[in-house]
Amino acid sequence: MAKRISRGRFLKTMGAGAVAGSTFSILSCSVSTSPQSSGDGGGNGGGGNGGGGNSLNLYNWSDYVAEETLPGFEEETGIRVTQDFYASNEELLARLQSGAAGYDVIVPSDYMVAIMQKSGVLQELDFEQIPNFENVGEEFRGLSYDPENNFSVPYQWGTTGLLYNRAEIGEITSWDAIFDPEFEGRIAMIDDVRETLGAALMSLGYSINSTDEAELEEAQSLLVEQKPLLRGYFDSTEITPLVENGDILIGHVFSGDGMTPTMDNEDLAYIIPEPGATRWTDNMCIPNGAANVEGAHQFINYILAAGPGAALTNYTYYGTPNEAALPDIDEELTDIPEYDPPDEVFDRLQVIEDVGEATRMYERIFTEVKSS
Ligand code: N2P
């Protein structure tokens, strides 16, 4: 049986103002369905599989639904789902901002919900069409990036840490290993500006949301120094098989991608490195221009049902905000300490926030690091 995360603990690292007066507004504006467009099922942002009543375009992280998620939804609703994938929040945002609409449901992380809401690319949710929101645990409602859940409903949560070959390199506990010349050529980092710069900031003991130029420059130097040691920057889901097949020894990965391979290979381990790591919550949102707004609400509601919620976590190994799903989460998963970290570990997790103007500095630095 899964442990329940206490609201106090979950909100502690969300920033002071984050929770004050957070109320859930059940009477959000209702949304209108835009005219349906036709397409060929490519889900290519130009209308995807046709939009409208019988189809739904989901734009998601890779490997982020269970095998039965989409077939189950299709069977229940008769709506056919086409899925496209992105590897980072920034890629998702760029796609939406390029005007390539046509997605009905997207899954941005916490800070990106705030950025997207500010940039006006999201539409308000109609909670009358999401009765299963009642299954969302208290600790996952009204978080700082969307205090009234006007635009987002939580999907999954997790951490970002290191998957490594314990049999080959012995026990590691901190980020130091990813900067160790001993592992030259056998380290991979996530191709993600906030996560990778965040890992450098945290290993230096700074906030993952630092806007201090000197701290960011220090993080840049560290990453430039690290670059020759890397196999490369990849999507987290691409890093897992590289560690599994012994190609690399240490991979920076999202927790689900980190814990799944440890189940049948005890040489591998996933750690939440010291002194701190990222904790994120991903969310379901409906972008403006969605062709099947009603279907999008149906999809969100489906994910928040007990069975589909449990199936999702039992496949992805990410945490669920869905309390109705908790009794059905596999014990082999809840037995892994990193799945639901103890307080002393949880307390050193940091949540990526929208850093406003400093976002440009982060992007410039990451571009410079990658081209160094
Ligand atoms: C799933 C990726 C999880 C998203 N493969 C990280 N926010």
Side-chain angles (χ1 to χ4, degrees), residues 2-6 9-10 12-13 140 157-161 255 259 270-273 276-280 317-320 333-350:
K3 277 186 286 172
R4 193 173 175 278
I5 301 155
S6 78
R9 182 175 91 147
F10 206 79
K12 210 167 353 180
T13 51
F140 292 98
W157 74 275
T159 58
T160 309
S255 49
M259 289 185 288
Y270 172 77
I271 55 155
I272 296 171
T278 314
R279 168 171 66 78
W280 43 262
Y317 279 26
Y318 293 106
T320 182
L333 175 54
T334 55
D335 281 352
I336 308 175
E338 286 74 19
Y339 168 72
D340 187 7
D343 284 347
E344 63 275 18
V345 177
F346 196 92
D347 287 348
R348 53 186 179 78
L349 295 172
Q350 296 186 30

Side-chain angles (χ1 to χ4, degrees), residues 69 119 168 177 184 210 248 341 350 357:
T69 302
S119 349
E168 289 237 12
E184 181 172 357
S210 175
I248 64 165
Q350 296 186 30
E357 290 293 297

